[in-house]
Amino acid sequence: AAKIGAILGGASDELAEALSQYGRLIGIGFQMYDDVLDMITPQEVLGKVRGSDLMEGKHTLIVIDAFEKGVKLDIFGKGEATQEETDEAVRILT
């Protein structure tokens, strides 16, 4: 989106590419922030069950890194988990 704005605004190729990289990195940063929020934010604040990404089996960067290190997460892809199971998974990942 940032690159298209630069192109439509007549920016140089160099600036358009720089804005493209900026947008990509901002997107990655936002996703990482969202992944952390999913694990640590109470349901009342987040609006969804804490750890739902883990229970749904989403391969977040946090999960990918953990799997590459040989970490086993019992709730990953389970669909549902108790508060204790979620707390344990979050403890393992943090």
Side-chain angles (χ1 to χ4, degrees), residues 33-51:
Y33 179 73
D34 185 64
D35 295 344
V36 170
L37 285 179
D38 178 71
M39 289 193 310
I40 65 170
T41 307
Q43 179 175 348
E44 303 78 43
V45 176
L46 191 59
K48 64 178 185 174
V49 176
R50 188 171 68 93

Side-chain angles (χ1 to χ4, degrees), residues 2 12 16-17 25 36 41 56 59 64 70 72-73 76-77 81-82 85 88:
S12 68
E17 187 56 34
L25 294 173
V36 170
T41 307
E56 292 173 17
H59 286 83
I64 292 168
K72 185 175 184 303
L73 298 169
F76 187 76
T82 66
E85 291 172 317
E88 177 63 12

